[in-house]
Amino acid sequence: MTTSPERRYTDRLAEFADRSPFLVDLAVIAALMGSATLGASLTLPNADPPGDDRAAALLLGVSCLALFLHRTHPRVTVVVNAVCATIVIAQGYLLTPLLLAPVMASLYWLATRTERETVRSYGFATMAALTIAAAVSDSMDHLSLLLRTIGPFFWLLLPLAAGTMTRLRRAYLEATQARAEHAERTREEEARLRVTEERMRIARELHDVVAHHLALANAQAGTAEHLALVNPPQTKQILHDLTGTTSSALRELKATLGLLRQTDDEGSAPPEPAPGLARLPELVSSCASAGITVTVATEGEPQALSPGVDLTAFRIVQEALTNVTKHAATQTAHVRFVYSGTRLLITVTDEGPPTAAVPEPVKGFGVMGMRERAHSIGGELRAGPRPEGGFEVSTALPLQPSVSGQAGVQGTG
């Protein structure tokens, strides 16, 4: 992107003004002093100049020195310049824009650095004082009162208008920059939030895939070792199921990691469909090979589930049965589905012995992950020991995920 020479020079001048404001003020005020001195030397044709040039020079010098305070005390600067200019005009000096240059500069700086009410009060007071001085001055006696007053009025109105426009432009640029910075911070915060949510989702998926299949594989291997000598045919079947369990684990792990590597290229392979309750018989069969008998009961008319709810329901049942395999002192588990209105109620229980202690599943990541999954689609989950013994996981899921939870259940496998 190219930049015009004028723009480059303007940027360099702005940078220099920021680095050395006193030198800039010195140059500007010196030019204003020269302008005022030149204006004091002007007279109308055939008119005698005022006699006391030293007093005028002193007043103009005081007014220009007061301009050095315009950055910190703009009101004082305007008052001093207005008083000095009024006295000089009253002495009979010809009222010209050159003579009024210092007071015009002070009004401009006042308008750029103060609020609207201050600009109005100080600006109109200065305009009134100088207009009255021009009306009573004898330097332009041959002119009408209207011509003597209309010029100073508009000359002084010009810096007020220009300063106000500059102040509004600065405020607009600052507001625009603030909005841009806020939008950038918002985008960064949203990006960090999405990254965190994605990390949590991937962690849940990896936990469900790895923990479930490893728990089943461990249970199957233990059962096969126990039956190796007394029941070789059953041991052979369990080892066959163990092969299927490890193959399923590798397949799901590959699918999950494949989502992380997936790109939007047309040649990339489509991801495998996310698991759902349609794979429940496979899950029950794998539990049976690990020595856990799972019964499934359904109440109400089964209804179609959205992909997000279907995945969540399957993962919750899978994790609950994994906890039974790892922690429960029983070989029986029950899964019950209840379709009630717009919600699906799922209960997974085991028939372990009564215990007053909090079982291990409550302390690990499994229950926490199940609860996060349920909350992500607008559902709820409870998990804990039953009074009559064993452990129970119950969840209520909407048939369609809530709008706030849709982002957390997109495309996983």
Side-chain angles (χ1 to χ4, degrees):
M1 181 177 180
T2 59
T3 305
S4 62
E6 295 80 2
R7 180 64 180 274
R8 290 199 299 269
Y9 295 147
T10 302
D11 294 340
R12 291 177 182 176
L13 181 60
E15 292 177 359
F16 178 77
D18 293 336
R19 292 196 306 267
S20 306
F22 177 77
L23 295 180
V24 174
D25 290 347
L26 182 62
V28 172
I29 293 173
L32 293 173
M33 183 63 188
S35 175
T37 303
L38 178 61
S41 64
L42 298 178
T43 58
L44 292 175
N46 302 322
D48 296 331
D52 193 2
D53 291 337
R54 289 179 299 178
L58 178 61
L59 290 172
L60 293 177
V62 171
S63 65
C64 289
L65 288 176
L67 292 177
F68 283 102
L69 301 175
H70 76 90
R71 296 182 183 273
T72 56
H73 301 83
R75 298 171 182 82
V76 175
T77 302
V78 170
V79 171
V80 172
N81 274 268
V83 172
C84 293
T86 301
I87 296 175
V88 169
I89 295 170
Q91 289 180 348
Y93 286 88
L94 181 62
L95 186 60
T96 63
L98 293 176
L99 185 65
L100 294 178
V103 70
M104 292 173 66
S106 66
L107 289 175
Y108 172 80
W109 284 324
L110 177 75
T112 60
R113 297 181 179 277
T114 59
E115 61 278 1
R116 183 182 304 176
E117 291 74 13
T118 301
V119 173
R120 287 179 179 177
S121 58
Y122 281 80
F124 289 155
T126 301
M127 293 169 64
L130 294 180
T131 301
I132 294 174
V136 302
S137 175
D138 56 358
S139 62
M140 295 181 292
D141 290 338
H142 62 287
L143 298 178
S144 65
L145 180 62
L146 178 62
L147 293 179
R148 280 187 288 174
T149 57
I150 193 172
F153 179 82
F154 282 103
W155 293 340
L156 297 175
L157 185 62
L158 180 62
L160 291 175
T164 300
M165 293 299 297
T166 301
R167 177 172 54 82
L168 294 177
R169 182 174 178 274
R170 288 177 181 173
Y172 171 76
L173 293 178
E174 291 176 357
T176 302
Q177 184 178 2
R179 287 196 298 269
E181 293 175 354
H182 177 70
E184 184 67 22
R185 288 194 301 269
T186 303
R187 284 194 295 268
E188 292 176 357
E189 292 174 359
E190 183 178 357
R192 286 195 296 268
L193 180 60
R194 291 191 176 187
V195 169
T196 302
E197 292 177 349
E198 186 67 9
R199 289 174 57 188
M200 294 298 295
R201 184 185 64 81
I202 294 173
R204 287 196 301 266
E205 288 298 318
L206 291 177
H207 174 271
D208 291 346
V209 171
V210 174
H212 169 70
H213 289 94
L214 286 182
L216 286 180
N218 180 69
Q220 290 170 340
T223 304
E225 180 184 12
H226 180 70
L227 299 176
L229 298 178
V230 297
N231 196 340
Q234 187 177 357
T235 302
K236 182 178 180 181
Q237 180 62 38
I238 292 176
L239 293 177
H240 176 74
D241 294 338
L242 177 60
T243 303
T245 299
T246 55
S247 299
S248 178
L250 292 174
R251 188 166 55 251
E252 288 201 30
L253 186 60
K254 180 180 178 181
T256 302
L257 297 178
L259 289 175
L260 302 180
R261 297 177 177 270
Q262 183 183 354
T263 62
D264 295 333
D265 299 337
E266 295 182 357
S268 59
E272 295 186 7
L277 293 180
R279 292 179 54 179
L280 187 59
E282 176 184 341
L283 179 61
V284 172
S285 177
S286 62
C287 290
S289 65
I292 303 297
T293 302
V294 179
T295 61
V296 180
T298 302
E299 299 180 12
E301 184 67 24
Q303 302 182 39
L305 304 177
S306 68
V309 176
D310 198 16
L311 170 65
T312 300
F314 176 79
R315 290 302 191 196
I316 289 176
V317 174
Q318 182 186 56
E319 178 61 27
L321 292 178
T322 300
N323 288 336
V324 173
T325 304
K326 293 192 300 182
H327 304 289
T330 182
Q331 295 183 346
T332 305
H334 305 281
V335 179
R336 184 165 65 97
F337 297 94
V338 179
Y339 291 88
S340 175
T342 60
R343 301 180 74 81
L344 170 61
L345 307 179
I346 304 175
T347 304
V348 181
T349 58
D350 63 72
E351 298 178 353
T355 177
V358 178
E360 185 66 24
V362 179
K363 302 178 183 179
F365 292 105
V367 173
M368 181 176 64
M370 289 189 291
R371 186 172 288 112
E372 289 175 352
R373 284 187 178 276
H375 290 171
S376 68
I377 60 172
E380 56 186 16
L381 183 139
R382 295 187 302 273
R386 299 191 303 164
E388 61 273 23
F391 196 83
E392 178 179 275
V393 175
S394 62
T395 180
L397 306 177
L399 299 182
Q400 298 294 329
S402 62
V403 176
S404 60
Q406 289 179 357
V409 294
Q410 296 298 323
T412 56

